């Protein structure tokens, strides 16, 4: 089906989705800039890459926000866990660089 044959409402919704996707990428980039700085501080102070208690609190907080926003809390938790794993990997890499 050609783009011109699609209902205008569908095209409008898809444009909104594209904008949200772009916003998510920019927000994630900003979040990772911040977590990189955290990783440097952790490395400088010889702190562990992982903070299980903070991660537990963040998951609880995100699940609550998800429920309030009518988003599946399990999905929100999986999404946060994916991000946290990546952040921890970055922190471990940063710690290894500081140890060298």
């Amino acid at each position: 089906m050609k783009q011109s044959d699609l209902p205008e409402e569908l095209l409008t919704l898809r444009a909104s989705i594209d904008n949200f996707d772009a916003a998510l990428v920019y927000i994630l980039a900003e979040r990772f800039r911040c977590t990189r700085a955290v990783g440097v501080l952790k490395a400088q102070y010889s702190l562990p890459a992982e903070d299980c208690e903070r991660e537990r609190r963040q998951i609880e907080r995100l699940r609550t926000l998800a429920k309030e926003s009518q988003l599946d809390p399990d999905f929100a938790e999986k999404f946060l866990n994916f991000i946290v794993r990546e952040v921890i990997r970055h922190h471990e890499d940063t710690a290894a660089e500081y140890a060298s």
Side-chain angles (χ1 to χ4, degrees):
M1 183 174 254
K2 292 188 293 188
Q3 188 87 348
S4 60
D5 295 334
L6 296 173
E8 188 60 36
E9 184 179 12
L10 177 60
L11 296 174
T12 300
L13 288 169
R14 285 181 173 175
S16 291
I17 290 168
D18 292 349
N19 289 335
F20 290 128
D21 288 346
L24 282 170
V25 167
Y26 288 117
I27 288 169
L28 283 170
E30 286 300 313
R31 188 185 195 287
F32 276 95
R33 274 189 267 289
C34 195
T35 59
R36 268 188 232 109
V38 168
V40 169
L41 287 171
K42 284 183 171 185
Q44 289 173 340
Y45 289 95
S46 299
L47 296 171
E50 195 170 358
D51 183 342
C52 294
E53 181 56 28
R54 173 164 167 72
E55 291 157 23
R56 184 193 61 73
R57 287 191 314 268
Q58 286 296 91
I59 287 170
E60 285 179 18
R61 180 178 157 272
L62 199 66
R63 288 185 69 85
T64 298
L65 290 171
K67 287 175 191 173
E68 291 169 0
S69 303
Q70 299 176 344
L71 178 68
D72 179 1
D74 292 334
F75 170 78
E77 183 174 343
K78 288 175 191 173
F79 183 71
L80 181 63
N81 283 330
F82 174 77
I83 292 170
V84 167
R85 281 192 308 274
E86 189 66 14
V87 167
I88 290 169
R89 187 180 66 75
H90 290 176
H91 289 183
E92 290 168 345
D93 291 347
T94 302
E97 290 172 17
Y98 269 80
S100 323

